[in-house]
Amino acid sequence: MAASPKVPKARAYSSPLDPMDLYDVRSLLSDEERMVQDAVGRLVDEKVLPVIQGHFENHTFPRELVADLAALGLLGSSLEGYGCAGMNAVCYGLICQELERGDSGVRSFVSVQSSLCMYPIHSYGSEEQKQRYLPRMAKGELIGCFGLTEPHGGSDPANMKTHAKRRGKDWVINGAKMWITNGAIADLCVLWAMTDEGIRGFIVDKGTAGFTAPEIKHKFSLRASVTSALFFDNVVVPEANVLPGVVGLKGPLSCLTQARYGITWGVIGAAQACLRQLIDYTKDRELFGRALAANQAIQIRLAEMSRKITLSQLLSLQLGRLKDAGKMTPAQVSLAKWNNARAAIEVARDARDMLGGAGISAEYVPIRHMLNLESVITYEGTETIHQLTIGRELTGINAF
Ligand code: TGC
Ligand code: FAD
């Protein structure tokens, strides 16, 4: 039998670059920012990664992590006072990136608590509301949810049906919200409802008569996060529970701007987790007499992933610097949310493919991130919403 031709040995190359940070974005961070990233990274390695696969498979939220998140100052981290850490926007971004390297569900929890619940109370709440809720929310003693999306269509919240009517000194709320993160475990809901004056924000405490928050089951995405419907059946809240500082759609949209900014960073972490595992896997796996990673076709796909991650990192860092300088605009956030979520889902899908059959197992991270990112690319404004936002910015024509 003729001997098969020998496959040439791949030439070794020693890289000076960090595969997760090819442009050394870390060198552009301050000492404080690096410290925050390292501390959250350790929390993710030590506390999130060991439990997250189990929670994802069991469709449970890792509630045991809330105290750890709070102890590091990650709840309401950008807010000043009221027991909050007062960190800058880049720190908040890095927090989201590290947490989502663990799982989008954990980052979602922090996004909702910080950007969607604590931010509106801090920005638009009365002093009494701030004192009542913020210190306990920063400690993780109270969990919030944010009710904007409705069953008939979340992309157009201006058309909301949930309404609140004045009755003496109280308000009576009727309606329903859908797809609400943290709903069933929340102690309070920051609810947006239509009134005769326009859209207003209400704080509805858990246990208020007529308010229910059943969990949505059977999700194939964000399984380590609680998602719920919210029902309001003649719910009575006092005037003291209305956010006095804002009327109109800009109230909830300004909260979304904060959360979307964090998501632009978060999804980078999910993509990095996929790439890191894939590099190890393709170097170890031998097919056709050589490491899978020694094939040009595989290297091109890994390089594509790295390109997408690097562009996302630079986009988010500049966005963060603009935010810290008070110059960030909603359209800039839309571009980064669109780009980075799209990049991350493409990385996760391709990573799943390159793992072959192993890629369908939750013992490897890509399929979990891939499934999670299906929610992330949808929530906080779908890709289409962000594309149309940029189209409007470029043309001055509102196509919504
Ligand atoms: P439009 O006329 O554009 O704006 C109405 C008013 O709002 C102001 N505004 C903003 N303010 C702050 N931040 C923003 N991003 C803003 N965008 C607009 C605007 O200046 C105006 O103010 P004023 O004073 O003139 O009244 O409103 P529109 O009805 O045309 O809608 C625009 C559109 C489509 C972009 C908006 O409706 C939209 O963003 N839709 C998508 C809805 C969405 O993203 N929902 C997310 C729900 S929360 C969620 O998904 C949480 S997931 C959390 C997790 O688990 O991580
Ligand atoms: P729709 O608005 O019905 O959109 C359906 C499709 O139509 C989309 O593809 C959309 O891009 C497209 N579309 C819409 N308008 C146009 C147009 N003009 N032109 C072309 N195409 C268009 N919401 C909250 O309020 N709070 C939360 O905490 C929260 N958490 C969530 C958690 C999860 C896991 C998920 C999946 C969602 C969550 N959401 C939350 C809801 C989320 O924000 C909405 O799902 C999202 O805004 C889209 O709304 P929708 O699902 O009703 O889709």
Side-chain angles (χ1 to χ4, degrees):
M1 210 163 79
S4 52
K6 255 206 139 73
V7 179
K9 228 181 156 42
R11 281 180 297 147
Y13 170 77
S14 161
S15 166
L17 301 178
D18 174 356
M20 296 303 118
D21 186 10
L22 235 54
Y23 265 46
D24 200 9
V25 168
R26 199 168 148 88
S27 69
L28 301 173
L29 304 178
S30 68
D31 288 345
E32 190 205 345
E33 289 160 354
R34 277 193 285 269
M35 214 172 67
V36 169
Q37 179 174 26
D38 291 344
V40 184
R42 273 195 302 277
L43 174 76
V44 169
D45 290 338
E46 290 167 12
K47 299 272 177 84
V48 178
L49 292 177
V51 302
I52 201 64
Q53 182 196 336
H55 280 290
F56 186 86
E57 287 179 21
N58 296 329
H59 210 321
T60 49
F61 170 66
R63 195 166 183 157
E64 66 273 17
L65 295 175
V66 173
D68 295 306
L69 297 169
L72 270 188
L74 309 188
L75 305 180
S77 62
S78 311
L79 304 178
E80 296 285 347
Y82 307 96
C84 303
M87 294 185 228
N88 72 7
V90 170
C91 285
Y92 177 52
L94 291 162
I95 290 167
C96 290
Q97 181 179 303
E98 288 305 314
L99 292 178
E100 199 149 353
R101 182 169 64 77
D103 193 84
S104 305
V106 179
R107 195 271 308 137
S108 256
F109 174 82
V110 169
S111 293
V112 170
Q113 181 82 350
S114 302
S115 290
L116 297 183
C117 295
M118 295 175 75
Y119 172 84
I121 295 172
H122 193 272
S123 299
Y124 308 125
S126 66
E127 188 53 37
E128 192 273 326
Q129 290 167 346
K130 293 179 200 183
Q131 299 285 358
R132 180 155 39 124
Y133 293 105
L134 293 178
R136 295 190 66 198
M137 292 180 84
K139 287 189 192 140
E141 292 170 3
L142 293 178
I143 293 175
C145 70
F146 176 88
L148 180 64
T149 303
E150 299 197 347
H152 63 274
S155 296
D156 183 15
N159 185 32
M160 69 173 62
K161 312 289 181 220
T162 299
H163 56 81
K165 299 223 176 294
R166 281 187 192 275
R167 194 180 66 191
K169 288 186 176 163
D170 294 331
W171 291 81
V172 184
I173 304 170
N174 279 287
K177 300 285 174 178
M178 190 64 183
W179 302 116
I180 305 304
T181 301
N182 296 348
I185 58 166
D187 301 290
L188 63 127
C189 173
V190 173
L191 169 75
W192 300 95
M194 190 59 82
T195 72
D196 290 343
E197 303 142 28
I199 292 170
R200 300 211 60 180
F202 296 82
I203 303 174
V204 183
D205 294 308
K206 180 181 182 168
T208 307
F211 171 37
T212 47
E215 185 170 355
I216 297 172
K217 306 276 189 193
H218 312 297
K219 288 182 300 167
F220 276 59
S221 176
L222 277 190
R223 289 175 62 84
S225 168
V226 170
T227 315
S228 308
L230 307 179
F231 297 108
F232 302 87
D233 181 10
N234 286 315
V235 172
V236 179
V237 296
E239 180 70 29
N241 283 34
V242 182
L243 297 177
V246 72
V247 179
L249 193 57
K250 64 176 180 288
L253 291 185
S254 64
C255 306
L256 298 185
T257 297
Q258 311 306 312
R260 290 166 175 172
Y261 161 75
I263 288 173
T264 75
W265 286 85
V267 293
I268 296 169
Q272 285 173 321
C274 296
L275 177 59
R276 184 180 290 282
Q277 196 165 60
L278 195 61
I279 290 173
D280 292 343
Y281 185 87
T282 54
K283 281 165 89 171
D284 278 353
R285 193 162 181 84
E286 220 175 273
L287 294 168
F288 302 103
R290 59 186 179 273
L292 191 55
N295 288 288
Q296 291 186 349
I298 295 291
Q299 289 201 6
I300 290 169
R301 291 166 78 182
L302 293 173
E304 270 293 323
M305 293 181 176
S306 182
R307 177 177 67 81
K308 287 171 183 162
I309 289 171
T310 304
L311 293 179
S312 300
Q313 285 171 313
L314 292 170
L315 216 49
S316 282
L317 181 64
Q318 170 61 0
L319 196 62
R321 295 292 179 227
L322 287 171
K323 190 171 194 308
D324 278 326
K327 293 182 183 164
M328 183 183 85
T329 72
Q332 290 168 331
V333 180
S334 280
L335 190 132
K337 200 273 181 177
W338 163 28
N339 180 79
N340 294 11
R342 169 56 59 185
I345 204 168
E346 285 176 0
V347 168
R349 285 173 179 165
D350 211 28
R352 203 245 27 96
D353 179 72
M354 278 192 270
L355 289 172
I360 69 147
S361 168
E363 290 188 8
Y364 293 86
V365 302
I367 195 156
R368 178 165 52 80
H369 285 297
M370 181 190 102
L371 292 170
N372 284 340
L373 288 163
E374 294 291 346
S375 286
V376 179
I377 205 166
T378 295
Y379 67 34
E380 294 283 359
T382 66
E383 193 168 59
T384 307
I385 291 300
H386 293 296
Q387 289 166 329
L388 294 179
T389 298
I390 296 158
R392 179 171 68 176
E393 191 71 20
L394 297 176
T395 62
I397 301 168
N398 190 344
F400 288 113

